[in-house]
Structures are given as structure tokens and as C-alpha cells.
Amino acid sequence: MCRLVAYLGEPLRLKELILTPPHSLLVQGYAPHDMTAGLLNGDGFGLGWYDRRLRPQPFTYKNILPIWNDLNLPSLCDYLTSGCLLGYVRSATPGLAVDYSNCQPFVQNHLSAVHNGRVEHFRQTLYRPLRSRLTDEHDLNIQGLTDSEHLFAWILHHYKRTGDLAQALCDSFMTLLDLVPDLDVTFNFILIDGEQLIACRLAHGELHPVCTTCRDIPTIREWSCSEPLFRDDRWVRCPQGTVLVATQPDQVQVRHLPGSGATSVATHAVAP
Amino acid sequence: MCRLVAYLGEPLRLKELILTPPHSLLVQGYAPHDMTAGLLNGDGFGLGWYDRRLRPQPFTYKNILPIWNDLNLPSLCDYLTSGCLLGYVRSATPGLAVDYSNCQPFVQNHLSAVHNGRVEHFRQTLYRPLRSRLTDEHDLNIQGLTDSEHLFAWILHHYKRTGDLAQALCDSFMTLLDLVPDLDVTFNFILIDGEQLIACRLAHGELHPVCTTCRDIPTIREWSCSEPLFRDDRWVRCPQGTVLVATQPDQVQVRHLPGSGATSVATHAVAP
Amino acid sequence: MCRLVAYLGEPLRLKELILTPPHSLLVQGYAPHDMTAGLLNGDGFGLGWYDRRLRPQPFTYKNILPIWNDLNLPSLCDYLTSGCLLGYVRSATPGLAVDYSNCQPFVQNHLSAVHNGRVEHFRQTLYRPLRSRLTDEHDLNIQGLTDSEHLFAWILHHYKRTGDLAQALCDSFMTLLDLVPDLDVTFNFILIDGEQLIACRLAHGELHPVCTTCRDIPTIREWSCSEPLFRDDRWVRCPQGTVLVATQPDQVQVRHLPGSGATSVATHAVAP
Amino acid sequence: MCRLVAYLGEPLRLKELILTPPHSLLVQGYAPHDMTAGLLNGDGFGLGWYDRRLRPQPFTYKNILPIWNDLNLPSLCDYLTSGCLLGYVRSATPGLAVDYSNCQPFVQNHLSAVHNGRVEHFRQTLYRPLRSRLTDEHDLNIQGLTDSEHLFAWILHHYKRTGDLAQALCDSFMTLLDLVPDLDVTFNFILIDGEQLIACRLAHGELHPVCTTCRDIPTIREWSCSEPLFRDDRWVRCPQGTVLVATQPDQVQVRHLPGSGATSVATHAVAP
């Protein structure tokens, strides 16, 4: 299971998420908490960030080295500045190559995404049914072998129909079970597009779901992480079945997946 | 266009093909002759070799660094010894990641293969028709994005039916045109299985075909290369439409693809 | 011999030097002109740039892959913006590891530097005499094995005494011959500190010196390169024995090394 | 602190130390026991082995990737066969580049060596005094920055005088304190030359010394490791101040460093 971090708010230098917090993404690489599978996240990492004055598409940086061995990272993270960004450290599924193409974030047009989770027996179950249903556009964009990248293509496939990202997350998750009944899937995604941050915690089957926690400082900032970056009692744990939508400056909505116990879109109650 | 080298004969140390000849695979990395596309082969490389006392499957070694920058290569090539081997230096198609998974040789069971050539507009033309016709076994073995790996899966798909490798090369090449009429494809493959070496020079369409040359020293050795490793007038150029089958100790057969101007299987005339 | 590029002027995105010109640093990697030794610059590369609003020290990015295989470079060079920067593609001396530590630019405090040239038989001649004369401060800063990094330490050693970078370049070059009479050395350096760009073309001995060309667009920009980035008749070739000092906005001075045929500091005549 | 493994005995395939034991070198990479500093050994690794039918010098293989991410390792370790070998996984000192040149084993002529330990504040204390005393031969062979490589040069410096490796280990350790009184140093070395295996556990100062354990199966095999590869009550822990010398077929001597509590060379008592 990988570890994710994302941020929406006033511009900050990437080191403020990646390097300097007590439980930064770097630390989550070699000393993660709460891992339900694997010991480390030492199989590469990636960053995605936006600067819409330069271009609408995200910028990305990926490396197959462990995050703690990238000698360029201190310099880059001290320079790179953004108000909409995400990061990821990888714990590779055994047998999958530690290749650049298997490294997140994945990008399509203005969107970038990271995924933490797993489709159990992905190649034997979901792989071919999913690919056969993708249109050329989304199939041909796939560069690697990971379940994560295929799930992202599936989300894009649904997003194209509705133009609503949060809806596409829900729809694409639910239709997986149409393709493969009884699929074991953990579907924790964070998507950003330069203006909003959408995170979900969805799962089906026997896998122990991984938590997605988040922090709100009202009126300014939104963080989503696999693990809190620092001690603070404003971190809250996303309940299972949740899709969280944050838009600037301070709008946060929470949707509950039908059948997950809550039925409507609610404004997220943020304790100051 | 990549450069290939293969050898069948008495065991030798890999450096005798890879490092020490005047126009070794190493030299073909940074100073190839006869390139019809690209200037260099600096986008990774790979080796495959057999030692059937240890196991029937091939051993492989691949690296995404240019062959001239692999600091382990002198030591490995001085140690590795085999009588059936192949090597490859890559010139990546622009846009394709220099990833381990995109690096040759490709392996399936006892077979290993290298390909030099290209399917023009592969992703837009052949990719989806070919994948949809593969059985799970061959589709799920694909690890990367290259046209080469997909063509190898297509060969295996045909090989499974007949058990005849040379025939599978011919069949798989010809059926490509059933999938995509007017396909532009250069299909220079070398396959080895520990006992035989099969090389072909096949092409269709507008591409300038790349030559596959070979050298025979009767009774002992068979070399197949994109470019001769050293000056010797026994190197001969495979004609277009040819499949060459070498078995130990000194059997070399040449098949001509139907419609390519020659019609029967002939024993290769070797000038001493 | 490596290839260098540097720029001082109005801020631009790094791709304008590194990626997009017809003879960009990227192209100088795989298809350099004018190489007096080596065929390629495929042994790693590096960038250095300043943003003094963030910090006075330079930012750097280095990679041991060939510049044409760094999949992060298009994104980084579209984002990174600076008015004082340098870049470098490496052609490694045979036998020296393609290691991060051997990759330029080298950095000390506010300075960054790239070197194109060579000390003939460096390890056997200059290495130990030079190191024994360095103070701890400059000796302990050395991270790798290259002649370039040792020459840079030697420059810093002289710079500390006078605080004049152009003078330190001249002094350190001339004192090399005190350490090792008859030293064969090509000493083409570019140094930047965020406010000025200093380039020199100095050599002694039998080596064919490598040119350092430069371009001036009066009142705005200063470029220094091993090879012109694009066709333009304002590129001029630095004569042997020259140190060029550019400061913003448009000051360019040329010093001539004593004994090199010119004796005084002259303002660089720039043809509009 | 790194982890080491070495073997002298009947030829075996390297996977028998590196990959297949329950606590193989691979496992010691991501889940070491007994680490007194660091959590992991994920900063590269290296192998050294001999085949004296091919050449007297060792063969080596190194990689800056974590041992668990080297996709070539399963194939190489299934092929490589030797009766005299060593392996190493690195836990880099913070600030030192994860470079090939900083990766062990180090080699000089017929010798190869790995080191587990540390010189506290190496660059500020021992670095310059040691280098100034080395002859050109040993100084110029140094390729990287690690304390380990400099200690190995120091051992070679002493070995040249006496031709006795075990003596050189003792002498070089003791003379370190002449160079820098009160030096904090952990000096656990394993050296092999194709015929013998010499391991020591020496230390001075405040550092917690790291154990070097070993296993004897009389008449055949000698293992030396930082951590036992598998459960077996024949593993014994080398006492502090010990130099162990194993020669084929079954000779094992233990020397005790003067002043470490034992005074003479004793034959190692091996419990069957």
C-alpha cells in the first residue's frame, strides 16, 4: 500500500509537505505508520503540482529510486511552489517492475491522480474486462501495468460522460462490481485539477481498507493524506464510503456512496 | 532501430560478442553503422543466455542505462559463458519510456527473443486488434508498451498451435496483414531456446527494411547480427523474406517466405 | 569534452535553453558539433539556476541518465524559470564512474560552476599536489573524482583571498603551472552567482582547446555556450586567453590573460 | 550500519546466500535485525565472487537501487556460482551520495572487501591525516567518499609491508589511533581473495560495536555474516577484538587483538 499526500490552499513550497513535517512524505517512505501491507514505501515516488499562470496541465516529477535517495529532491522541493499539489510514495506489488511508467501520479489533460489501494488478483480478474470496455482514447493513454493506472482510466471513462469528477469516482467504483462480481478492491484516490481536490475512501471485499485522513483549517487549507503529516487534533479520518470535494477558497463537501450508510451530499463540518 | 547480436556454437564468454570485437555490441551502441532511423542505441540494452546444466529457461540481464555506462558490464561479460546467447541495444521510439519493462530480450518459458524494427503508428493501428485476439496466457505476459513485445506475443500465439518456431515467425508475420491491411512493419526477429537460433528478415510497407546479416563458420558457429562484429568476408546479408534456422552443431536452413521470390526450404550454402 | 550553456538576463523558462532551440543542450547531448574528444555527451547532465526571492544559493538538478532519456525534463524545464542559470551535458573521461557526485554543476555557497575541458593524466599529475595545498574547507567540499571538481576547488581557494571571481579564474589557472610545470590543461569554466556570469577560455599545453562562444543582445541578455544554440550572426567566439564578465543589466567586460596577446581589461564591443 | 555476508567452501549458487535463506541478504535489506543505526539497508548493494578458472581477480556486481528492486538479481543469483564470495547491503551515512563509487565491495588486485561500521566524524578527523600518509598507489585507487573505502586503502597500505592480511587488519586498526587519538571507529571487515576469508570485529570508542557472527560446519563451509542467515545453533558470535582467518578446506584460526583480553592465536573450536 502506497502513501499519498495532497494539498489545496495558498501556495506553499513543496518541502512543506514532502520534507519538513515530522511525518512528511519522506518519512512515510521509510517509516510509515498504519501499513496494512508491506513495510516500506521504497519503490519510487512522484509529485504533481500546478501553476496555472504557466499552463493548465499539471507538472510532474517521478523517480524509481526511494524518495530518501533522490539527491535532487531537497533542491527541487525548496523551489517548487504551488497551491494545488499531490505526492506519492510507492510500495510496489511484488512482481511489478519498479519502472517510471508504473510510478504515480498519472496525468490526463488537466487532471492528475494518485491511488492507494489494490485490486486483488488484478491481472486475472479485472484487467481484460476493463480494457475491453475502454474507448481507444483512455486505453491508449495507459503506459504501465498497475491496477492503479487502469482504475484511473476507468474513472476518466466515466468522467467523460458526466463531467462531474466526484460522480465519476462513485460511478466507476460501483461499475467495477458489474465487471467482476465479488471483486476485492481498495479504491482510495486523490484527484486534483488545479482548482479542486477530490479524495475518496471506497472499498469492497475482504481487503482491510486503508484510511484517508484529512485536515481542515477553515477558510484556507485542505490536506488529504494517508497518514497525518504532523500532530494536530483537526485531522479527521474519512469514513468508508466517502467522497470529499474541496474547492477554493474554503468549500468542502462530503458525499456518501449510496448504500454506505449515508445518502446525501453534506457540507463537511469543520471544527475550528 | 535497435541493434541485435546472437550466437550459437561452442561456449564463449559474453565479452567476445558484447565488448571485445572491433564492432562489438558496445560499439554499436554509440557508433552504429547502417541506422535507418536514429543516431544511437543509447536507450538501454539487454542480454539473454543459456546454461542448460543449471536450468532450461534463459538467464537475462537488462539495464536502462546506455550500454557504455553500465559499470557492471565488464565484470559480468568476463564471467558469463554460454553457447547460446543474444544481446540487444535499444534505440527507443520517441515517447516510449526508457523502462526496464520496455527493454529486450523478452522471455517466455524456454524462449527468448529480440526484435529490431518497428510497426508504424503501432498504438493507433495494430495494438488493440492484436491484443483482443491474444489468449489470456499471452496477453497477460505482456509487461510493457513496445510494438516489439506485442509482436513477440503474437509469435507465441502462433507457435502454440504448431510447435514450429520458424513456421510461427512466417505465420505471425503474414497474419498481421489480416489484422491491419497495409500495415507498415519491419519484423527482424532473433529467437533462441538454448539449442537453436532462428532469425528472420521480414517486412511489409513503406519502411526501409533493416538488414540482418549473419556469419557461418561451417561445423561450428552461427552468428546473427544487425551489423557484422568484425571484418570477415564470410558475413552474408540475409535477403528480405528469409527465415534462417540454425541448430547445433552445424545445421543451417533457410526458408523463404511464400511470395517473397523463393518458394522452398533450402540448406544454406556456406562459402568456406 | 562536455558541452556547457549559461544565461544571464531577463527571466526565462529553462526549456528556452535546454529543450527548444534548434541546437539546444538536449541536441548537444546526442548530436554535438565541434567535439574534439568523444562523440556524444550521454553521460549525465546537470542544471543550476537562481531565484533570489527564495534563497541566495543556487538550485540544482542532476541526473546520470543521458539528457535525452530524462522523462522529468520536459515538465521541469517548462516550470523552472530563472534569469541566471547554467546547464551541462557530460562526456565522461573513460574510467570515471557515471556517478551523481561526478556530475556538474558544482556548488559552493552562492556560486555554481561548470567546466568543459580536461587535465591530461590528472590523477598522475595534478591530483595530489593540488589537494595537499587546499585548505580543509575546500578539500572537504570535494565529493567526486573529476578533474573539473578539483579545479573548481582550486578556483575557490584563490577566490577566498581576493573576492574577485575573474581574478581568481586567472590566478588559479596560472598557478596550476607552478604545481605541475608543462601541465596539459583545458580550462573553460562558466561561473554564476545569481547576479553575474563569468566565462573563460584558458588552456595550456598540447590539447586542442575547445571554443567558448557567446552572444550578446545589447541591453538585455548574455549567453555563453560551448556551441551556439541557434543560427545568429551575433554569436562570437571567445579568443584563447579570455575571461568574460557579464553583469546585469548589460555590462560585459573582457579580460585578457597576461601573456595571451592582450593586456588590458576592455569593454566588450557588441555588434547590434 | 550496513549488513555483510561472506562464504568460503564448496561452490554454490549465489542465491543460496543472497535470496533464498529465511534471513537472506535480501531480507536483511528491508527487515534487518540488530541495527544499531538506521532502519534499513536500502541504499544500494554489491556482490563479489571468484572463479579462479577464469581469472584470479574477483568479479563484482553493484547497484545503487535497493537490493529488493534489482530486477536482474533473481536471474544473476541463479546463474552465478562460486566457492568464495561476499555480499553487502548499504545503509548510507546521511549526506553521502548513493553513488556506484560509494558502493561496496571494494577491490584491489586479487582482494575484495566489505566493511560494516563507521568512523565518527570521518571527514573532520581521519580523512586528511590518512590520505596524506597513503602512497600514491593506494591513494589513487580511491574512487569515492566513504570512510569504508579509506579504511580499506589503509589496510592495503599495511598489507603491502607484511603480506599477511590478518596482521594488516590488526596493524591498520591500531595505527588509526596513532593518526587520531580517541577516534571513534567500528571496524568490522570481511576480506576474501579467492582462497581465504578473513573477518574481524574491532572497535574503539563510544560507538556501539556491531556483531559479526559466523557459522562453521566442520570440514566444509565457513560463513561470516552481520546477521545469521537461518536458524542454527552453530552460529557463534565473534567476540570483540577478534580476527578470524578461514582457509580451505576447513582451517579456521582466530587471532585476538593484543589488549583485547586474549593474547595468542588459537584454533577455532567448532561445536559440531
Side-chain angles (χ1 to χ4, degrees), chain D residues 3-186:
Chain D
R3 300 285 91 178
L4 315 178
V5 60
Y7 168 82
L8 183 75
E10 295 180 352
L12 48 73
R13 282 148 94 175
L14 265 64
K15 66 180 175 183
E16 293 184 47
L17 277 85
I18 309 304
L19 301 182
T20 56
H23 198 59
S24 66
L25 191 68
L26 176 73
V27 175
Q28 294 184 35
Y30 61 78
H33 305 148
D34 301 328
M35 292 277 281
T36 57
L39 295 169
L40 298 175
N41 298 290
D43 306 327
F45 71 98
L47 308 173
W49 70 99
Y50 290 80
D51 185 335
R52 308 195 84 177
R53 297 165 305 174
L54 296 174
R55 72 183 195 190
Q57 298 86 4
F59 298 90
T60 58
Y61 177 73
K62 305 180 186 185
N63 197 335
I64 61 169
L65 283 175
I67 188 171
W68 62 83
N69 279 342
D70 184 327
L71 296 164
N72 291 308
L73 203 61
S75 194
L76 288 177
C77 284
D78 196 25
Y79 179 81
L80 302 174
T81 305
S82 179
C84 187
L85 66 96
L86 44 71
Y88 145 97
V89 284
R90 185 175 181 214
S91 174
T93 303
L96 275 189
V98 178
D99 271 348
Y100 188 91
S101 299
N102 287 339
C103 200
Q104 305 186 34
F106 304 116
V107 169
Q108 174 87 319
N109 296 327
H110 300 187
L111 282 176
S112 55
V114 284
H115 172 242
N116 175 19
R118 188 167 170 188
V119 177
E120 200 67 4
H121 307 300
F122 167 64
R123 296 276 278 186
Q124 288 73 42
T125 57
L126 187 63
Y127 176 65
R128 296 199 85 186
L130 187 150
R131 291 201 81 148
S132 69
R133 276 161 188 83
L134 290 176
T135 59
D136 275 10
E137 175 191 357
H138 298 117
D139 187 40
L140 296 179
N141 195 45
I142 292 173
Q143 304 292 313
L145 271 195
T146 60
D147 50 5
S148 302
E149 189 180 14
H150 288 79
L151 294 178
F152 179 53
W154 192 240
I155 294 167
L156 294 172
H157 178 78
H158 288 80
Y159 175 52
K160 183 143 196 184
R161 295 190 195 159
T162 65
D164 179 335
L165 261 176
Q167 192 61 45
L169 278 172
C170 295
D171 293 349
S172 56
F173 173 71
M174 288 188 296
T175 54
L176 290 177
L177 304 178
D178 298 336
L179 297 183
V180 182
D182 301 322
L183 188 70
D184 272 350
V185 54
T186 312

Side-chain angles (χ1 to χ4, degrees), chain A residues 99 101 123 127-128 131 140, chain B residues 99 101 123 127 131 140:
Chain A
D99 272 346
S101 299
R123 296 275 278 184
Y127 175 65
R128 297 200 82 187
R131 291 201 80 148
L140 296 179
Chain B
D99 271 347
S101 298
R123 295 275 278 185
Y127 176 65
R131 291 201 81 149
L140 297 180

Side-chain angles (χ1 to χ4, degrees), chain C residues 67-212:
Chain C
I67 188 170
W68 62 84
N69 280 342
D70 184 326
L71 296 163
N72 291 309
L73 204 60
S75 193
L76 288 177
C77 285
D78 196 24
Y79 180 81
L80 303 174
T81 304
S82 180
C84 186
L85 66 96
L86 43 72
Y88 145 96
V89 283
R90 186 175 180 212
S91 174
T93 304
L96 273 191
V98 178
D99 271 346
Y100 187 91
S101 299
N102 288 338
C103 202
Q104 305 186 32
F106 303 117
V107 169
Q108 174 86 320
N109 296 328
H110 299 189
L111 282 177
S112 56
V114 286
H115 172 242
N116 175 19
R118 190 170 170 185
V119 177
E120 199 69 0
H121 307 301
F122 167 64
R123 295 275 279 185
Q124 289 74 40
T125 58
L126 187 63
Y127 175 66
R128 296 200 84 187
L130 187 151
R131 290 201 79 149
S132 69
R133 276 162 188 82
L134 290 177
T135 58
D136 274 10
E137 174 191 358
H138 298 118
D139 188 39
L140 296 179
N141 195 47
I142 293 174
Q143 304 292 313
L145 271 194
T146 60
D147 50 4
S148 302
E149 189 180 13
H150 287 79
L151 294 178
F152 178 53
W154 192 239
I155 293 167
L156 294 172
H157 178 79
H158 287 80
Y159 174 53
K160 181 141 197 185
R161 294 191 197 160
T162 64
D164 178 333
L165 261 177
Q167 192 61 44
L169 278 172
C170 294
D171 292 349
S172 58
F173 174 70
M174 288 189 295
T175 53
L176 290 176
L177 303 177
D178 298 336
L179 298 183
V180 183
D182 301 325
L183 188 71
D184 273 351
V185 54
T186 313
F187 191 93
N188 294 345
F189 265 95
I190 305 178
L191 291 96
I192 57 175
D193 66 0
E195 292 187 333
Q196 57 181 337
L197 184 165
I198 299 174
C200 68
R201 185 183 173 206
L202 304 170
H204 182 267
E206 301 295 327
L207 285 178
H208 299 287
V210 179
C211 68
T212 303

Side-chain angles (χ1 to χ4, degrees), chain A residues 97 99-101 123 127-128 131-132 134-136 139-143 145, chain B residues 97 99-101 123 127-128 131-132 134-136 139-143 145:
Chain A
D99 272 346
Y100 187 90
S101 299
R123 296 275 278 184
Y127 175 65
R128 297 200 82 187
R131 291 201 80 148
S132 69
L134 290 177
T135 59
D136 274 10
D139 188 39
L140 296 179
N141 195 46
I142 293 174
Q143 305 292 313
L145 270 195
Chain B
D99 271 347
Y100 187 91
S101 298
R123 295 275 278 185
Y127 176 65
R128 297 200 84 188
R131 291 201 81 149
S132 68
L134 291 176
T135 58
D136 275 9
D139 187 39
L140 297 180
N141 195 45
I142 293 173
Q143 305 292 315
L145 271 195

